[in-house]
Amino acid sequence: MLPPAYLADTAPGRGARLAPRSWLRTDAPTLSLSGEWAFRYSPHAALPDDVAVPGLDDTGWDRLPVPAHWVLQGDGAYGRPAYTNVQYPFPVDPPHVPDENPTGDYRRRFDLPADWPAGAQVALRFDGVESLYRVWLNGEEVGVATGSRLAQEFDVTGLVRPGENLLSVRVHQWSPASYLEDQDQWWLPGIFRDVTLVARPLDGLGDVWLRTGWDAETGWVDPEIVAEEAAFPVTLRIPELGVEAVWDSPAAVARIEVGPAEPWSAESPRLYDATVASRGETASLRIGFRTVEIRGDRLLVNGRRVVFHGMNRHETHPERGRVFDEAHAREDLALMKRFNVNAIRTSHYPPHPRLLELADELGLWVVLECDLETHGFGMHDWAGNPSDDARWRDAYLDRIERTVERDKNHPSVIVWSLGNEAGTGSNLAAMAAWVHARDPERPVHYEGDYTGEYTDVYSRMYPSLLETREIGTDGSLAPLLGCSPAQGARQRTKPFLLCEYAHAMGNGPGALDRYEALVDELPRLHGGFVWEWRDHGLLTRTADGTPFYGYGGDFGEVVHDGSFVMDGMVLSSGVPTPGLHEFKAVVQPVRFAFAGGALVVSNHRHSASTADLRLVWRVEHDGRPVADGVLEVPEVAAGSSATVPVPGLPVAETGETWFTVEAVLAEDASWAPAGHVVATAQLDAGRAASAAAPAPAPARVRGWQPAAGDLRLGAAEFAGGRLVRLGGRVVSGPLLELFRAPTDNDEGGYSNPEGSDASIPGTSSAQLWRAQGLDRLVHRLVSVEEAPGALRTVTRVSAANATASVTVEQVWTLSDGELELRVEIEPSTGWPSVWPRVGVRFELPDDDRGPAVSGVEWFGLGPLESYPDSLRAAQVGRYTATVDELSVEYARPQETGHRSEVRSLALGGPDGADLRWDFLPDGRGRLPGFTLSRHTPQQIAAAGHPHELPASTTTHLIVDAGQHGVGSAACGPDVWLEHALRPEARTLRMRLRA
Ligand code: GAL
C-alpha cells in the first residue's frame, strides 16, 4: 500500500487549521482532553483505515496516557526511544520517509459539557504532537498538522455536537516535518502536550497582545486586540497602576501611558496583573514593562546592556521525556537562579507555554527559539536543504508564526531565534522578514546566518577565546567564520552573543572564566548560553533490573550518537555538576577584590542594586573557623562598586589564615531562602601578612649502598624496595600514574583553533594517550639502595613497543621520627603529546588484607572536584567526604574527583583516621592534588555506564603533581595552552604518618 499523500507533502498542514494566536488564560470555557486514550500502535504507516470510524469497537485497544511519548510507555511494546545528533535516523530522501514509520492511532470519547456556550466557535488545540497528526471528530476529517513543539488549533465548530463526541488522531513518528526537526535530542513520538477543546465566543477575544515599553520611570502598553465589532467595548485594567481604558471599537484601541511603573528585568521580575475584557470573554495576563532595543553594537533592555549568563534548555526528564511537569520545570528554573543563571535559550523549540510564565515570574531573559533544525543536510554539503528550497517556504513561515504568536506577550522573551543549525537560505530570510514586520522591537537571532544577511545580532557557537576576542574588537579585522572582510565588518556592527559555548559534557567545561573575562572587557560581547542545562538520560534498566540512565545506543537504535546527549550542567538524576558550581562562581553578579586592607565590592548586575544582599565573612586557621561577622556595606547600584575596610583579622601564628566573604540573600526569594550564597571570594590573609614559609629542604642522605630493600622505616614496611605496609595495613605503591580515564572532552577530536600544540587537530587527546600506552605502563626496577634511615629506588616506566620512558626516583627518609617520601619524575625525550596527569598511585586493598577506606579529611581546595582550568568554585578549606562522595557519577564513567592544592589528607577506616599524608610544595611552590577512588583509571575508562564498573576491593589514592585541564573539546576548544600539561619533570614531597 502506498503511504498517504500527506506523508510526502511539504506543506505545514491542511484542513481546518486556525491562525496562530497567543496562549492566553481566559474565562472562556475549555475542556481538557488529557487523560487516558484508546491506543493502537503499529511499527509501519500502513494501518487499517478505521481509526475515525465511530462504530469501531476499540475496547480491545491498549490505553495510553495523553500527554505522553508512546516509546516511553508500554515497556518497549511501542518501540523505543532513539537518539541522534546530526544524522537523520531515516534515509535522506526529502520529503519522503520510510514506510517503516511508527504510527499511533488514538481515540478518545468525551461529552461536551451541558453548559458549553451555544454559538461560540469551538477550537481543538494541540499543544504538542510529534511529528505529524491527522485529526477527525465524529468520523469527519478535521485536518493534518505538523510542528511537533508548536501549538495548533483546528476549527471544529461544525463537527462538535452536544453529548458524546469521538476524537480520533493518527500520529506518525516520521513525516516531511521530521526533516525540519533534526535537533540533537531523542526522537520521542506521540501526543506529548495537552489536548484541549476551547470555546471561542463570537464576542470574545480572538487574540490579545499587550506590548509594553518602559523609559526612565514610566511605562506604556501598546495593545493589539483581535476581536469582532460585537466584542466591543473592550476594557484594559491594570489595577495596581489605576489603569482602566475602555475602547468602543477596534479603531479606538490605542497606546496607554501608565505613568510611573517599575520595570521588568531578569533580576527584578516585576509583573503587573492586567485584564482585558470584551463583552464575552476576559483574559488575565501578567505584564512586565520593558523596552528591548539595539543601539549600535549594544543590546539594551530598558536602556542598559544585557549580559547573558545563560543556559541552553531542552525539555527533558528521565521518565517523562519532553512531557511537561510544572513542579519539575519550576524547580529547574529555581535551580538556575540559585546558580546565577540569568537567561535561557529555549533550544531548539518553544517549550511548554507555562515555562515562559515561570520565566516571567522568576526572572530569566529568554531567547525563544523556533522549532527548526535541518542539520542532517550538513552531512551532505547542504544539498537539498529545505532552508533554501521554495517548496518548504510555507512550512518555515508557519513555524515562526506559530512561535511568535503563541509567546509574544512574555516580558521575559527579549530575542526571537529562527531555529538552529538549518544552514542558510531564503526561507530563513523570509522568517526573519516576517518577524521584523510583526514584532519590530525584538531582535532576530539565528546562528547560521554567519554573514549577517537577515539577523539583528551576531551569534556563534563554540568559538575559541581568540576568535571571541577578535569578534569583540575591530583591531585586526581578522576574518570571521564564513565572512569576507566586508561581511565581518557588518557583523562587528552588531551585538554579539554566544548562543552556545562551554560544552558541558562529562567532566568540564574548562576556561569559563576566560570567556567571562572577555565579556567583562569587551562590551560588544553580551555573554552567552552554555551547552547545555541538563543531561537527557532516560531512566531504563539492564536485563537484570539494574536501573541506569540510558543514552544513545542503549535502546537498540540502528544509528545513534552515543553519550553526546549527556552534556548537561545537571546530571539526569538532577544533581548539579561541579561544572555548574564553577559557572556560578565565574558569573557571580557581585565580584570582590582585595586591595590594601580593603574589600572592593562591584555590582555586575543589569539594573538591580545590592539592597537584597548581606555580606558575611569568616576567618579560618588551617581550615578551622575562628571568627565571623557581618560587613556593613552601603547599597551598591548596578554597574558601581564600593570599597569597605576589611575587619582586623586574627592571623594564625603558624599555618594559614583565610578570610572568606559571602554575599547572601538577606530575605527569602521565590527561588532560594534567605542566607543563600550568591557570590563569594577568599583572601589568603596569612600570606598577606607574612609570606608563606618555603618548604624545608629535603634531608641530605649519605652513604647509599645497593641493598635488598627489605626494611622498616617508621610506620612503613618495604619488601624488595617497594612499600608493602603502612601503619600495619597493606598499602602498596606508589607507582607512576600518567593516565586518567578520558573525559568526554579528552575524547573530543575538535581541532584546536587556538593553534595550540596541546592537541593534534582532528585527533583526540585520548587517542594519543592510548596510542602511547599511558593506560598500560610497565615498570622495571633499576636500583634499590639503602642508607641509615633511608631507602632509594629508581624505576624505569614505559609501555609496550615504546621508547619514551619516565625515570622515577623515590627517596624515603626517616628523620626525627618523620617519614618523608620524595618522588622525582623525570621524562625522557620523545613524549609526543600532553599528558593527562603526572602522579603516583597508592593502593589500599580491603579484602582480607585490610579494612575498607571509608573516607577522607583534607585541607586544600574543595569541596568539589577541580582541575587547572576549572578552579573558581574551589575554596581553601578543611573538608570531609566518603570515597563515593568524591566521585561524580557522570553518565559515561570518566576522570572525576580530583581535589587540587592539597596540604594534607587523612584516610579513615571504619574506626576513624588511619593514615595521614602531609604535602610539601615543590620548588615552585606548587602543591599536589589527589584523587581517591574505588577504581583505577583503567577500570573507569573501560566502563560505558556507572553500573558497568566492576566490584571493588581496593581504594586507590593518586597524588598528582599535575593534571591536564579539562577544556571543552567534546564540542569546542581544547584545553587552553596555560592549562595543558606537557611532559615535564616534577617533584612530589609528602610526609606519611600512621
Ligand atoms: C551544537 C548544537 C546543539 C548540540 C551541540 C553539541 O552544534 O546546536 O544542539 O548538538 O552542538 O552538543
Side-chain angles (χ1 to χ4, degrees), residues 135-196:
V135 181
W136 299 260
L137 189 60
N138 298 321
E140 299 293 325
E141 177 154 359
V142 173
V144 172
T146 58
S148 296
R149 276 71 57 163
L150 298 168
Q152 177 65 64
E153 286 181 318
F154 294 99
D155 184 354
V156 295
T157 316
L159 299 178
V160 72
R161 57 185 182 220
E164 194 184 78
N165 289 265
L166 170 71
L167 178 60
S168 315
V169 185
R170 173 164 289 180
V171 181
H172 299 284
Q173 171 158 19
W174 308 126
S175 69
S178 304
Y179 286 99
L180 310 186
E181 296 178 357
D182 189 29
Q183 292 95 342
D184 175 6
Q185 61 174 350
W186 296 100
W187 298 92
L188 297 175
I191 306 178
F192 73 98
R193 285 186 189 154
D194 300 317
V195 183
T196 317

